Amino acid sequence: MPAPIRLRELIRTIRTARTQAEEREMIQKECAAIRSSFREEDNTYRCRNVAKLLYMHMLGYPAHFGQLECLKLIASQKFTDKRIGYLGAMLLLDERQDVHLLMTNCIKNDLNHSTQYVQGLALCTLGCMGSSEMCRDLAGEVEKLLKTSNSYLRKKAALCAVHVIRKVPELMEMFLPATKNLLSEKNHGVLHTSVVLLTEMCERSPDMLSHFRKNEKLVPQLVRILKNLIMSGYSPEHDVSGISDPFLQVRILRLLRILGKSDDDSSEAMNDILAQVATNTETSKNVGNAILYETVLTIMDIKSESGLRVLAINILGRFLLNNDKNIRYVALTSLLKTVQTDHNAVQRHRSTIVDCLKDLDVSIKRRAMELSFALVNGNNIRGMMKELLYFLDSCDPEFKADCASGVFLAAEKYAPSKRWHIDTIMRVLTTAGSYVRDDSVPNLIQLITNSVEMHAYTVQRLYKALLDDISQQPLVQVASWCIGEYGDLLVSGQCEEEEPIQVTEDEVLDVLEGLLVSNLSTPVTRGYSLTAIMKLSTRFSGVNRIKKVVSIYGSSIDVELQQRAVEYNALFKKYDHMRPALLERMPIMEKTATNGPTEIVQTNGETEPSVVEPKHLPPVTQPANQANDLLDLLGGNDVVPVIQTTMPTKPASAGGELLDLLGDLSLSGGPATAPASSVPTSQPSFLLDGLSSQPLFNDIAAAAIPPMTAYNKNGLKIDFTFERANPNPNVAVITIHASNSTEADMTEFVFQAAVPKTFQLQLLSPSSNVVPALNQGTVTQVIRVLNPQKQQLRMRIKLTYTLKGSPVQDLAEVNNFPAQSWQ
Amino acid sequence: MMRFLLLFSRQGKLRLQKWFTPMTEREKKKITRDMTTMVLSRQPRSCNFLHWKDLKIIYKRYASLYFCLAIDNQENELIALEVIQRYVELLDKYFGNVCELDIIFNFEKAYFILDEFLIGGEIQETSKQMVNRSIEASDMLQEGDSSEWFEVELFG
């Protein structure tokens, strides 16, 4: 039997193969030869064969039949065998194979071998791949070797101990005694691995951590070692570009970080050395910057004094200007971590960070974008937004969604003016409109609704954008909603902010109908445009076209559209008298918290709440039963109590819900839809969802309605003032003004009202429930009365309050409404 | 700690694989494929750091070989670059102007050198000279093995 070919020979041969198939053939042939050689238990060539097997394994071929052979090699007396055997074990065996446990005994013997290189092999293998069982069995041997004076073995034993602790954390305790004088070694290998071992122990166990802090006084020892490294002269053995043992320096800095975290004493003890490293380290090469980087991380994590923190941030700032991409990347990542805690310091580097938006590297761009958003505040919003919008225009699609969300969030928090805000939104919608998140649409709608004076401008700009491009769904949805809502402003050419465009009702309907039929529109968008068209029926003069469109879609295949169309049709036919009220102008909605691309809470140095707080209105709850009391007290059936609106839970996505409100309108026909017959508590809610004690629309023309005094008794005077809600002439908006001429405040003041059945009434929340004494102020509250049948307005009111500790209650009827208020 | 170290050519052929956590053959193959795809598709002048799952990947090209090192998320990327550099220097000292062919034909030596530099995903020796001396001494031991079959030429 000829000797098996040599390893290098095999490698050479395999490399001559021209195809995959040829290679496979050679490999199979050789494997067969190797297998038969293994079967013959050939000791001489086992080593050579296993080596060849390992090569073929690296090429991707199976080599499991060599596992046992590795064990035999390990058990051999020859060093060469052991070397290859252990290598094979590390490559072919892992703890999932039962076979590997057979190694335990061999390793145990080799750990006690007379030759340190054999011991080294055993320690290395155990430290790389020892399973939990093996670690348990051999931990004692490792611990013994940790105490040896042989530094070659000691360093390997230390890392082996680290592995044991990672696999079997309960064994950590047994290594504690051996760590006692590890740091007094001079040998850098031992020092480095000891620091790694101590780090592992401190990270895993708070008890160990405090033990090392207090009892062992680890910090001073580490400081001393680090100082020696920096101050000592050139050491050829450990020098890297003029720096002495950077690997050890970095490890020490990391351990210091763990020791100094949340501990004042330790942090103070290391302040000086950190400052020294930060200022003296050479920064021309990567290795110096690696140390600086670690130093910065440590400074930021421990309880360092502010001067040191500023130094750290400035180092990061310098990193940002470095030519080396890696350094810039690392700087941006670190700044992102520190921007909350050291906001002002990071702000100083804002312009450099913004420049990084133009970097070619994708990872750097992303970090720069996140950091830029974190730095936006009221002072720099205009400049920052210009840069970010420019970035949005030109960045990769993977960034656009996050960037758009970030822009919206920042604009919402810091917009210097409503016009700027709307313009910014428009810019995002037109440039990255397909990438904005779904929840942006309702948020934007809410925002636009609340910017009352900008309605005409907004709808005009949105209309013009639609003329250009109907492919970006979020833009189209917001635009159709606005046109449906403010179409009257559009056709009347009322825009103040820019040149008003001339648009006819037909042109507007053309555009909206175009959306309905376009292939580019999603079903959701179609829903928006159908509803918009419907809403225009109360805002435009010509209704027939709209009726036609609505009836066509009553037979649409899309179930959602069909349902809407059918209901709108019903609205035209049987419930036409309700149509104006249902489709009237939306009120101002409460703001809700919005999410941005980064979850980090954005503070602005001085604490500025990151979540927009809802307008704080005094809670007034009027459960249904109180209204029923009113009914009982009054006795009559012709008066219907009205439920005062409570502070409603805010609609999570206002626009969507509004849409739902209109869409889900149950016009289950039937009854005397004299809407006031039985007043379910939900009914008033569809008229108004928002809370505002201010009258929503001041129609100057309606100032013609004179105010009146509704009640005046016992020092409490209630006046009514009137406005007419625009555009619906059937709704009267009454504001009550309660004043108190007595000497004491009237607290827990509650105003309730009831109207006859043919009316509908809604009460908004009052401005306060304390009427100040001596006419020092008034409580105001808004009542909206729907009076479609134009009957004479009558009202019964109930007043409750507490005066000088005693509760007071009174009922009254109000009949002296001026004729204009209900005609 | 370091999780794995891979060396591969520009064509994606694996030249060395060191894994510091237990993994099945299948997992290793998948990760190797992922790494080669990711690294080989990077633009020439990008930064040397990537994010992959919960790890940082540090890669650097030396001549025709890519060195790809995976570290935990909280490790220092810049010093990881130095780790790669140090390993290359060790190979260079041992082989004298090391090139890819040296590593192909002497892969087991490349492993031996690595095992004198790192254990269990951590650095065991920061002195270049110490590592080199250990390797030379071990090589001498091999020569000293008392059998005619075990000269250094054994591996051809």
Side-chain angles (χ1 to χ4, degrees), chain A residues 552-626:
Chain A
I552 291 173
Y553 279 88
S555 45
S556 161
I557 298 179
D558 182 330
V559 176
E560 174 72 27
L561 277 184
Q562 191 192 109
Q563 178 172 356
R564 286 180 192 222
V566 163
E567 289 171 3
Y568 295 157
N569 244 331
L571 206 49
F572 274 123
K573 297 212 167 59
K574 287 167 78 172
Y575 303 101
D576 205 46
H577 56 282
M578 285 177 70
R579 188 164 51 87
L582 286 171
L583 301 177
E584 67 166 9
R585 188 77 97 226
M586 291 290 181
I588 295 178
M589 301 166 230
E590 271 301 320
K591 276 188 159 219
T592 59
T594 49
N595 291 323
T598 52
E599 305 296 342
I600 36 176
V601 171
Q602 303 184 6
T603 55
N604 185 11
E606 296 61 54
T607 48
E608 196 190 301
S610 61
V611 170
V612 177
E613 302 294 343
K615 291 201 219 11
H616 198 64
L617 293 167
V620 181
T621 47
Q622 287 297 325
N625 45 17
Q626 275 194 323

Side-chain angles (χ1 to χ4, degrees), chain A residues 520-565:
Chain A
L520 297 167
S521 299
T522 63
V524 171
T525 306
R526 291 207 177 92
Y528 270 89
S529 50
L530 185 62
T531 303
I533 292 175
M534 186 61 192
K535 280 157 83 170
L536 290 174
S537 70
T538 55
R539 291 156 174 75
F540 282 0
S541 47
V543 159
N544 292 325
R545 180 171 172 182
I546 295 175
K547 275 191 185 165
K548 227 187 298 184
V549 173
V550 164
S551 69
I552 291 173
Y553 279 88
S555 45
S556 161
I557 298 179
D558 182 330
V559 176
E560 174 72 27
L561 277 184
Q562 191 192 109
Q563 178 172 356
R564 286 180 192 222

Side-chain angles (χ1 to χ4, degrees), chain A residues 452 585-587 695-699 723-726 733 784:
Chain A
V452 174
R585 188 77 97 226
M586 291 290 181
L696 296 173
F697 293 97
N698 284 317
D699 192 355
E723 285 103 21
R724 202 167 278 293
N726 193 6
V733 180
R784 291 166 58 92

Side-chain angles (χ1 to χ4, degrees), chain A residues 680-699:
Chain A
T681 53
S682 58
Q683 230 183 28
S685 68
F686 69 69
L687 281 182
L688 271 185
D689 238 13
L691 293 177
S692 172
S693 55
Q694 310 307 316
L696 296 173
F697 293 97
N698 284 317
D699 192 355

Side-chain angles (χ1 to χ4, degrees), chain A residues 343-464:
Chain A
H343 191 91
N344 290 331
V346 179
Q347 278 282 4
R348 273 184 230 126
H349 302 281
R350 196 178 64 241
S351 53
T352 324
I353 292 169
V354 166
D355 281 340
C356 289
L357 285 172
K358 307 193 185 84
D359 203 297
L360 294 165
D361 188 291
V362 161
S363 325
I364 290 182
K365 274 204 273 227
R366 176 166 285 279
R367 292 280 177 282
M369 179 184 83
E370 288 169 6
L371 199 46
S372 299
F373 279 121
L375 289 175
V376 172
N377 63 24
N379 295 327
N380 57 35
I381 177 74
R382 283 189 195 263
M384 287 296 275
M385 200 49 85
K386 223 177 12 193
E387 297 284 350
L388 288 164
L389 285 173
Y390 180 72
F391 175 69
L392 182 63
D393 282 342
S394 53
C395 69
D396 298 328
E398 59 184 288
F399 289 123
K400 288 208 195 237
D402 288 333
C403 191
S405 300
V407 167
F408 286 147
L409 185 68
E412 201 174 305
K413 285 166 71 167
Y414 303 112
S417 74
K418 287 236 150 78
R419 160 104 191 236
W420 180 95
H421 197 166
I422 305 275
D423 282 343
T424 305
I425 292 172
M426 290 296 307
R427 174 86 182 269
V428 174
L429 285 179
T430 47
T431 55
S434 348
Y435 298 96
V436 302
R437 299 222 163 79
D438 290 339
D439 64 352
S440 312
V441 172
N443 287 340
L444 289 175
I445 288 177
Q446 178 195 67
L447 176 70
I448 291 171
T449 315
N450 292 353
S451 317
V452 174
E453 63 277 17
M454 303 296 300
H455 286 164
Y457 171 71
T458 311
V459 69
Q460 182 165 293
R461 286 211 57 190
L462 284 168
Y463 178 77
K464 286 200 277 194

Side-chain angles (χ1 to χ4, degrees), chain A residues 6 8 44 58 78 80 83 117 152 155-156 166 237 245 251 254 286 294 325-326 361, chain B residues 15 45 47-48 75-76 82 105 116 122 124-127 137 139 142 145 149-150 153 155:
Chain A
R6 296 174 176 219
R8 314 239 188 280
T44 323
M58 183 139 66
K78 301 191 180 72
T80 316
R83 236 183 168 187
Y117 297 106
Y152 177 77
K155 71 189 183 195
K156 291 182 195 267
R166 283 179 181 155
E237 229 190 311
D245 207 340
R251 256 359 262 246
R254 196 156 132 198
N286 177 64
E294 196 73 36
K325 268 194 223 318
N326 298 327
D361 188 291
Chain B
R15 299 299 177 208
R45 267 169 319 214
C47 75
N48 298 80
E75 297 279 338
N76 182 330
E82 294 299 319
F105 279 95
E116 287 296 327
E122 305 283 356
Q124 68 175 283
E125 181 57 68
T126 56
S127 156
D139 284 348
Q142 261 189 238
D145 267 334
W149 307 111
F150 297 126
E153 296 300 282
F155 296 138

Side-chain angles (χ1 to χ4, degrees), chain A residues 139-401:
Chain A
E141 304 294 328
V142 175
E143 199 261 343
K144 243 181 9 202
L145 286 169
L146 194 49
K147 298 194 278 223
T148 177
S149 52
N150 180 334
S151 50
Y152 177 77
L153 292 177
R154 212 172 179 199
K155 71 189 183 195
K156 291 182 195 267
L159 287 185
C160 212
V162 170
H163 179 82
V164 168
I165 293 174
R166 283 179 181 155
K167 280 297 204 199
V168 192
E170 307 90 73
L171 291 175
M172 193 180 347
E173 290 284 326
M174 73 182 283
F175 294 109
L176 187 53
T179 63
K180 252 203 172 335
N181 49 9
L182 275 177
L183 290 185
S184 38
E185 266 270 7
K186 292 275 180 270
N187 179 293
H188 280 225
V190 177
L191 274 177
H192 187 277
T193 57
S194 305
V195 173
V196 174
L197 177 58
L198 292 167
T199 307
E200 189 69 30
M201 291 168 117
C202 289
E203 274 178 337
R204 279 185 185 266
S205 157
D207 288 335
M208 285 284 185
L209 178 58
S210 59
H211 166 77
F212 281 120
R213 264 190 197 136
K214 302 187 173 50
N215 307 345
E216 301 290 342
K217 308 254 182 265
L218 209 47
V219 175
Q221 288 185 65
L222 292 169
V223 169
R224 183 180 45 81
I225 299 172
L226 193 50
K227 203 169 197 147
N228 283 337
L229 285 173
I230 304 172
M231 306 298 271
S232 67
Y234 176 73
S235 153
E237 229 190 311
H238 302 110
D239 181 87
V240 179
S241 304
I243 296 181
S244 190
D245 207 340
F247 301 109
L248 182 56
Q249 288 195 35
V250 164
R251 256 359 262 246
I252 291 179
L253 286 163
R254 196 156 132 198
L255 183 52
L256 284 175
R257 180 152 81 240
I258 296 169
L259 291 167
K261 196 169 181 154
S262 320
D263 190 87
D264 288 320
D265 290 333
S266 303
S267 299
E268 206 188 310
M270 56 181 83
N271 243 315
D272 283 345
I273 192 68
L274 289 174
Q276 215 179 342
V277 174
T279 34
N280 290 342
T281 306
E282 181 65 46
T283 58
S284 53
K285 293 263 175 75
N286 177 64
V287 61
N289 289 320
I291 295 175
L292 278 180
Y293 176 41
E294 196 73 36
T295 312
V296 166
L297 291 178
T298 300
I299 292 175
M300 300 315 291
D301 235 15
I302 65 171
K303 297 188 151 234
S304 46
E305 50 178 47
S306 63
L308 204 52
R309 292 180 87 85
V310 171
L311 179 60
I313 303 235
N314 288 344
I315 291 176
L316 291 178
R318 279 206 306 277
F319 274 7
L320 280 179
L321 300 167
N322 199 305
N323 285 331
D324 188 337
K325 268 194 223 318
N326 298 327
I327 310 244
R328 291 207 298 277
Y329 176 85
V330 146
L332 286 170
T333 314
S334 312
L335 284 169
L336 200 54
K337 283 191 228 147
T338 61
V339 73
Q340 292 104 280
T341 45
D342 296 81
H343 191 91
N344 290 331
V346 179
Q347 278 282 4
R348 273 184 230 126
H349 302 281
R350 196 178 64 241
S351 53
T352 324
I353 292 169
V354 166
D355 281 340
C356 289
L357 285 172
K358 307 193 185 84
D359 203 297
L360 294 165
D361 188 291
V362 161
S363 325
I364 290 182
K365 274 204 273 227
R366 176 166 285 279
R367 292 280 177 282
M369 179 184 83
E370 288 169 6
L371 199 46
S372 299
F373 279 121
L375 289 175
V376 172
N377 63 24
N379 295 327
N380 57 35
I381 177 74
R382 283 189 195 263
M384 287 296 275
M385 200 49 85
K386 223 177 12 193
E387 297 284 350
L388 288 164
L389 285 173
Y390 180 72
F391 175 69
L392 182 63
D393 282 342
S394 53
C395 69
D396 298 328
E398 59 184 288
F399 289 123
K400 288 208 195 237

